[in-house]
Each structure stands twice: as C-alpha cells, then as structure tokens.
Amino acid sequence: MTASYTLPDGFRYLPGHFDRPAQAALIEAVVAATRSAPFWRPAMPRTGQPLSVMMTNFGPLGWVTDQAKGYRYEPCHPQTGQAWPEIPPALLQLWHEFAAHQAPPEACLVNWYAPGSRMGMHIDWDEAATDAAVLSVSLGDKARFRIGGPQRGGKTGSIVVSSGDVVVLGGAARRCYHGVDRIYPGTSTLLPEQHFPGGGRINLTLRRVNRP
Ligand code: SIN
Ligand code: MN
C-alpha cells in the first residue's frame, strides 16, 4: 500500500480465510455450476467490446452485460435461458459472517481471469441495496487488487490477493473505485487444467441486489 493512500472505512482484508480444502470445494462448486451455466464472454454496453474476463453466476440473480442492454441483473443465463445454480452454502455462511446485512445475497458473480485478463477501475453501481457489503473471494493465481476512493482518478493503493483470501467492501468502501491490474500466472495449482485450460484466477463476488 502506498504511503499517501488511506484505505476507506469498511474495507476489510481477510487473508487465508478459506483453507485449501475449502478452496477446492468452492472450485468444485464452480465446475458443477458450469454444467448448466457455462462461462461466457460478456460485452461492454454500446461498444460491444468483449470483457477480458469470462463470467457465470450463482444465485437467483446474475450480473450480465451486452452491447444492446448494458449492465444489469438477470434471473437466467443469457445463452442457455436457464436459471442460475444456487449459491453454495459456504458462501452463504461467509455472507452471514461479514456482509452486515439482514437479507441473504441474491447474486454471486463468478469471474475467470485467464493469464492476461484484468479488470478496469469501477464501482459496483447496479445494486439498490447499497447498505450491504460486497464480498469478494479469490481462488487460484495471485492478483494485484487496486482500490481508490469515490472519485475516478484519485489516489489508490493495491494489495496482492492470494487463493483463499476474502476482501470486504462495506461502508464507504462500497462506493469506492476498485479493479484488478493483473494476475500472476502459475502462482497456484488450485484450478484443474481440465476445466480451466491455461489456469488463472477465479473471483467470486457476493452481492445483495434489491432492498429487502
Ligand atoms: C470485481 O470487482 O468485480 C472483481 C474484483 C476481483 O476480481 O478481485
Ligand atoms: Mn467490482
């Protein structure tokens, strides 16, 4: 973290929250989910430019984006038309412990960062339930996670997140810019090559979308 940047209130970093068996169980749940909800590559609103990550979701709602309709939550997979698979119990437990919210999460976005993938600085704006934290679980290769303030272009700091780490964006941090500069390919053996050709990193983000 750079000397001049102060982390926003509500930011929490829980290194090694999930041990290796728990990480492997989460990856198994992702693999099982992709049988009915395969990874797809979403497109940016208006330009239609593809995102560098592949995505799928768990939960009653899933975050999607395409050229025509932009960023939003949908109850069904854009390609199969099927409902998203259920959120795994270990993630519901995580929510219960750290989200500081009375209602359950409605969406768990699954991002797959293959080597070379990144995520530009953004704020999660598409949820009405802004009082609930966003919980982020890192699995697989390490990545440089960057967080700033509520204005684009302000000071930022970064941490290297590893497999099993959890980041909590609650309070003021819920409305702060954040992104992923890069991943560090080959720094984890968690992702099975058979299901994740080329390896990389899986990030799970749990969100409450609607106000209860
Ligand atoms: C996100 O902000 O959607 C993802 C963050 C991460 O991959 O760590
Ligand atoms: Mn985000």
Side-chain angles (χ1 to χ4, degrees):
M1 202 65 60
T2 50
S4 58
Y5 174 75
T6 309
L7 282 166
D9 283 348
F11 175 91
R12 287 181 74 183
Y13 173 48
L14 312 169
H17 179 80
F18 289 104
D19 65 13
R20 176 78 184 204
Q23 295 167 35
L26 285 170
I27 288 298
E28 270 180 39
V30 169
V31 169
T34 59
R35 288 187 198 116
S36 67
F39 281 106
W40 91 104
R41 190 179 299 283
M44 302 275 283
R46 294 183 298 280
T47 62
Q49 203 189 329
L51 268 62
S52 87
V53 294
M54 306 270 279
M55 288 183 176
T56 187
N57 288 272
F58 296 106
L61 293 173
W63 190 84
V64 303
T65 171
D66 55 34
Q67 182 168 19
K69 293 199 207 156
Y71 305 146
R72 64 199 189 276
Y73 283 92
E74 292 280 0
C76 296
H77 190 288
Q79 292 177 340
T80 68
Q82 284 194 59
W84 306 103
E86 284 182 12
I87 298 176
L91 296 178
L92 296 177
Q93 177 63 28
L94 182 76
W95 182 265
H96 184 67
E97 285 176 55
F98 295 104
H101 199 75
Q102 69 279 25
E106 292 171 292
C108 179
L109 174 62
V110 181
N111 286 320
W112 176 14
Y113 295 75
S117 297
R118 55 184 301 280
M119 174 135 345
M121 295 295 276
H122 67 279
I123 295 178
D124 296 1
W125 281 122
D126 306 315
E127 305 79 24
T130 51
D131 50 337
V134 170
L135 306 185
S136 160
V137 180
S138 292
L139 297 167
D141 285 343
K142 293 177 195 290
R144 184 163 290 280
F145 178 85
R146 185 166 295 281
I147 178 148
Q151 250 96 53
R152 189 181 281 285
K155 284 182 183 158
T156 67
S158 72
I159 52 173
V160 174
V161 288
S162 299
S163 197
D165 295 356
V166 171
V167 168
V168 180
L169 297 179
R174 180 69 180 77
R175 281 291 185 249
C176 286
Y177 277 88
H178 59 277
V180 172
D181 295 356
R182 58 164 299 188
I183 72 159
Y184 297 91
T187 51
S188 166
T189 56
L190 187 71
L191 304 197
E193 178 68 24
Q194 180 197 357
H195 297 293
F196 302 91
R201 170 178 186 256
I202 293 288
N203 177 258
L204 309 172
T205 42
L206 283 162
R207 293 101 179 258
R208 176 77 199 180
V209 179
N210 298 298
R211 290 179 186 277

